[in-house]
Amino acid sequence: MVRLTFTIVILLLWCAETSAQRRLVVVDVETGVPVVDANVTTEKGAGRTDSLGYICVNDSSKTLVLTHVNYESRMVKLEDLRDTVFLISKLLNLKEVIVFGKDRQEKDYRELKKKMTPNVKDMQLAAAGANMNGGLNLMGLIGYLIPDKKKLSKKERKKRKLKEILDNY
């Protein structure tokens, strides 16, 4: 009988203690996302919101001060709240950001650009060896590397060029 009364008394004390606290959630007013690690200060003590934005506050405290790095500070009366506290985000717009490295040598970029651009001979070799179907034209490459012994006139070169263009079309 003594054990039963002792457990009832403990349960009543526990219920009285839990009823003396309110559970609040701190939320971003624009997105509705819970605010994690918001500092909540009351007359009775201070605390932080958990990973879901919840915090338990003593019901006997009258005011709450909510602060967070990314949000405007807010002071509210506990009697005016239901279960949700909304915070307004700070405007963190930067006009311009300039980043400097340790070494600012532009000639390194010029040398890199020179190495990256192909020269005329490489482009001619690629054009002679390229096939329209994506393959490699070995005969065209050999013809480019081994010069013709006979010289062609301008008209004949033009005809061959036109014929080659029509064949590849």
Side-chain angles (χ1 to χ4, degrees), residues 2-167:
V2 174
R3 284 187 178 179
L4 182 64
T5 56
F6 182 70
T7 54
I8 290 174
V9 169
I10 295 292
L11 281 173
L12 288 174
L13 289 174
W14 179 73
C15 289
E17 181 66 28
T18 57
S19 66
Q21 289 190 351
R22 285 180 66 180
R23 187 172 183 196
L24 301 172
V25 63
V26 181
V27 177
D28 186 343
V29 72
E30 294 173 357
T31 61
V33 176
V35 178
V36 180
D37 290 334
N39 296 319
V40 180
T41 309
T42 64
E43 300 91 31
K44 305 292 181 186
R48 286 188 144 179
T49 57
D50 61 1
S51 63
L52 299 174
Y54 288 104
I55 188 161
C56 290
V57 181
N58 284 338
D59 207 19
S60 61
S61 58
K62 295 179 182 176
T63 59
L64 297 174
V65 178
L66 296 126
T67 57
H68 193 275
V69 175
N70 297 331
Y71 295 92
E72 298 288 334
S73 298
R74 184 172 179 199
M75 186 169 130
V76 292
K77 291 182 181 179
L78 192 59
E79 61 191 33
D80 295 340
L81 293 177
R82 291 193 181 181
D83 63 346
T84 306
V85 181
F86 294 101
L87 291 181
I88 299 171
S89 63
K90 290 181 183 177
L91 296 176
L92 299 173
N93 295 334
L94 299 175
K95 290 182 181 179
E96 182 177 354
V97 176
I98 299 173
V99 179
F100 290 105
K102 287 183 178 180
D103 195 15
R104 293 179 54 195
Q105 294 181 357
E106 293 182 17
K107 66 179 183 178
D108 292 339
Y109 295 114
R110 289 183 200 145
E111 290 175 10
L112 181 64
K113 190 174 180 181
K114 284 180 187 176
K115 290 178 182 177
M116 294 297 289
T117 55
N119 58 15
V120 176
K121 286 186 180 182
D122 290 338
M123 290 173 50
Q124 287 175 347
L125 279 172
N131 190 358
M132 294 302 280
N133 296 332
L136 184 66
N137 184 2
L138 289 178
M139 294 308 289
L141 197 62
I142 291 171
Y144 178 79
L145 293 175
I146 301 171
D148 274 344
K149 292 189 177 183
K150 59 179 180 174
K151 297 279 184 173
L152 298 175
S153 67
K154 277 189 175 182
K155 284 185 179 181
E156 286 184 30
R157 277 188 276 163
K158 214 176 204 183
K159 282 182 186 179
R160 281 192 181 178
K161 185 74 171 176
L162 286 172
K163 185 177 184 275
E164 184 180 331
I165 290 172
L166 288 172
D167 288 342

